[in-house]
Amino acid sequence: MSERVTRRTWLPLALLHLLWTGWLLTYPVSLDSDDALNFAHGVVRFSVLEFAPHFPGYPAFIALARLINLFAPSPEAAVQWAALLGSAFIAPLGAWLTVRLFDAPRLLAPLWLALLALPLTPALALSGLSDGPALAAWLAALLALTHGRAALAGLLLGLLLALRPSYAALMALPLWLLWAPPKAWGLGQAPWRRALLPFALVGLGCLAFVWQADGAAYFSEGARFTSGHFTLWGNTASAHASRLVSWYLRFNHEFTPLWPLLLWPLWRGASQLAPALRLPIAASWWLLLGWTLMAQNPDNARHLAPLALLSLVLVAAATPPRIMGIIALLVLGVSWRQPAPSPSAQALTVASRECHTLVTHWGVRLAREQTTLPVVDAWYQGDAERALARGACRLSRSAPSSGKGQVWHFSRLPAEPALWLSVLPSSQKQAALSPFTVTLQGRPSLLP
């Protein structure tokens, strides 16, 4: 079991982990999305109706960020550091959990290194979002179960939902294990009863927190937001079947087109689990896959994090530890990046210098708050087309289709969204204005 892991094994890993965390702390505080900005607003004043943050409010993450804000220089720094703090626990918790699940101390070092090397981990740490802390709470809850701590697991599961309610699919595995616990874990009879009270206390505290801010209107906003996510703007396959193709392309981009080959070590790893764990973990993996494909947006690689994490735990058991450790160290070495602002911060800096108007579908609220430029939301196609015809710059997560004009590409980490800023040359800007030019009293003028 995990107690057989010696200090000689985990101490160098802990020192490397501290270096990794220090590297991420050197990155400038700069948010990269409207969601992160909404969290920063929620640190100052919480209201789901005011999108501070957006539904469902993420009360535990707001509480964590407010605690950090007591010594952070700004609310933006508080949310970025809160995401980093939670994400920093993913690698050690995931590694120790794997040791417990497979009773294999040899897996500690390679999986710890692999989780640090996973491109999604530093992206979550710098996102200013709640994904990293929620994943850490999930891993900690499962680890508590392996040590027979049902009440602690209940508390951590409550925090999981309070940190990121959309991770409700992750609850399937720990709830299954609470209902039918493996005998070797010493959870006793009906451990779910001991988990229920701390879980309920966290839920009631979160309910009181959101109620004091928005009252019953919180639930009306929840119905509107949920409906919009699944039918209108969420870009999910539940409403747009074509998004399944987007998920296939996302898998190819993140894991290379050879990713189907991973299904073999996944099956091999699952087969090495204790018989009492095979069905719960396999069923949870398929549930996570279905939830990710049907209810999450493939435009954001971070939505792959729970599935990638559980898959890596299973693959580790079917991969020779030395090979996995060497590959992880190589990936860690090549993934090092010079600390830089977020792609959005880089793009807005250039846009402030090169553009008179900005058209974008990414971080509209962020752009409006961090620049003095007029910002047109590309969701409104008529406004966007007219602004572009008048020579506005285009900021997008996809590369421009034509090579005309000047184009900047902004990126920071492999699993973060990259941005492209395109600016038409002066001659094309003048030509683009012509469809909107009319003659008034013999003089050319632009339509308002």
Side-chain angles (χ1 to χ4, degrees):
M1 300 295 282
S2 59
E3 57 265 23
R4 296 201 300 265
V5 176
T6 65
R7 180 182 299 182
R8 190 176 172 184
T9 301
W10 64 258
L11 187 57
L13 291 170
L15 293 176
L16 178 62
H17 191 90
L18 287 175
L19 289 175
W20 179 87
T21 306
W23 165 60
L24 292 178
L25 282 171
T26 62
Y27 276 75
V29 173
S30 55
L31 304 182
D32 193 46
S33 66
D34 280 351
D35 290 347
L37 181 66
N38 292 340
F39 279 126
H41 287 308
V43 172
V44 179
R45 169 183 165 79
F46 177 87
S47 174
V48 168
L49 300 181
E50 299 174 14
F51 268 55
H54 57 281
F55 183 84
Y58 311 86
F61 187 74
I62 292 296
L64 175 62
R66 285 184 172 181
L67 182 64
I68 295 175
N69 195 47
L70 295 176
F71 55 86
S74 66
E76 291 78 12
V79 296
Q80 182 166 314
W81 293 352
L84 198 160
L85 177 64
S87 301
F89 284 99
I90 290 176
L93 288 173
W96 283 102
L97 175 64
T98 306
V99 170
R100 297 287 298 180
L101 291 178
F102 293 97
D103 191 15
R106 69 184 185 281
L107 296 179
L108 179 71
L111 191 62
W112 194 324
L113 293 173
L115 287 170
L116 289 181
L118 187 69
L120 284 168
T121 310
L124 295 181
L126 297 177
S127 67
L129 302 174
S130 64
D131 304 61
L135 282 174
W138 179 64
L139 292 170
L142 290 173
L143 191 57
L145 287 177
T146 68
H147 286 279
R149 305 294 180 85
L152 177 58
L155 176 67
L156 290 166
L157 290 177
L159 289 175
L160 163 65
L161 288 185
L163 284 163
R164 190 164 189 82
S166 64
Y167 275 2
L170 292 173
M171 296 281 291
L173 178 56
L175 289 180
W176 189 321
L177 297 174
L178 280 168
W179 186 259
K183 293 182 179 179
W185 290 0
L187 286 164
Q189 294 292 324
W192 61 269
R193 294 179 181 174
R194 299 196 300 278
L196 186 60
L197 178 59
F199 180 85
L201 289 176
V202 173
L204 290 173
C206 292
L207 178 62
F209 183 71
V210 298
W211 186 272
Q212 59 83 28
D214 296 317
Y218 171 84
F219 300 99
S220 299
E221 169 61 14
R224 184 203 68 82
F225 187 93
T226 304
S227 175
H229 173 77
F230 284 103
T231 60
L232 185 60
W233 43 260
N235 290 329
T236 62
S238 60
H240 311 283
S242 62
R243 303 305 281 167
L244 290 175
V245 177
S246 300
W247 270 120
Y248 175 76
L249 297 176
R250 168 60 65 186
F251 274 81
N252 289 350
H253 179 267
E254 297 298 327
F255 307 114
T256 80
L258 299 177
W259 62 264
L261 297 178
L262 291 174
L263 296 177
W264 170 247
L266 273 173
W267 180 83
R268 285 285 309 277
S271 66
Q272 295 184 35
L273 289 164
L277 295 174
R278 289 173 192 167
L279 182 58
I281 291 182
S284 298
W285 188 91
W286 284 106
L287 176 64
L288 268 178
L289 177 64
W291 173 256
T292 302
L293 295 181
M294 299 304 297
Q296 297 297 313
N297 181 359
D299 292 337
N300 292 318
R302 61 186 175 85
H303 291 147
L304 281 173
L307 188 64
L309 179 58
L310 184 56
S311 298
L312 194 55
V313 167
L314 295 176
V315 168
T319 306
R322 183 168 297 180
I323 293 178
M324 176 172 255
I326 291 173
I327 293 175
L329 283 173
L330 290 175
V331 174
L332 267 175
V334 301
S335 63
W336 184 87
R337 297 289 188 278
Q338 184 72 25
S342 69
S344 290
Q346 297 176 46
L348 293 177
T349 299
V350 175
S352 299
R353 184 176 68 246
E354 301 289 342
C355 309
H356 61 76
T357 304
L358 186 65
V359 175
T360 183
H361 67 289
W362 174 258
V364 175
R365 188 179 186 185
L366 185 69
R368 286 173 175 167
E369 291 197 14
Q370 297 194 352
T371 71
T372 57
L373 291 173
V375 178
V376 178
D377 189 345
W379 175 265
Y380 303 100
Q381 296 182 10
D383 293 346
E385 290 173 1
R386 183 164 68 170
L388 290 171
R390 294 180 173 183
C393 298
R394 172 184 177 270
L395 180 63
S396 175
R397 289 182 59 181
S398 56
S401 55
S402 67
K404 298 178 180 179
Q406 193 168 5
V407 178
W408 286 271
H409 175 244
F410 305 99
S411 63
R412 181 172 59 173
L413 295 169
E416 273 189 327
L419 293 174
W420 282 263
L421 178 69
S422 54
V423 183
L424 290 174
S426 299
S427 59
Q428 292 185 32
K429 289 180 182 179
Q430 294 301 322
L433 292 175
S434 56
F436 293 90
T437 303
V438 297
T439 300
L440 298 177
Q441 297 180 348
R443 299 170 58 188
S445 175
L446 291 178
L447 290 174

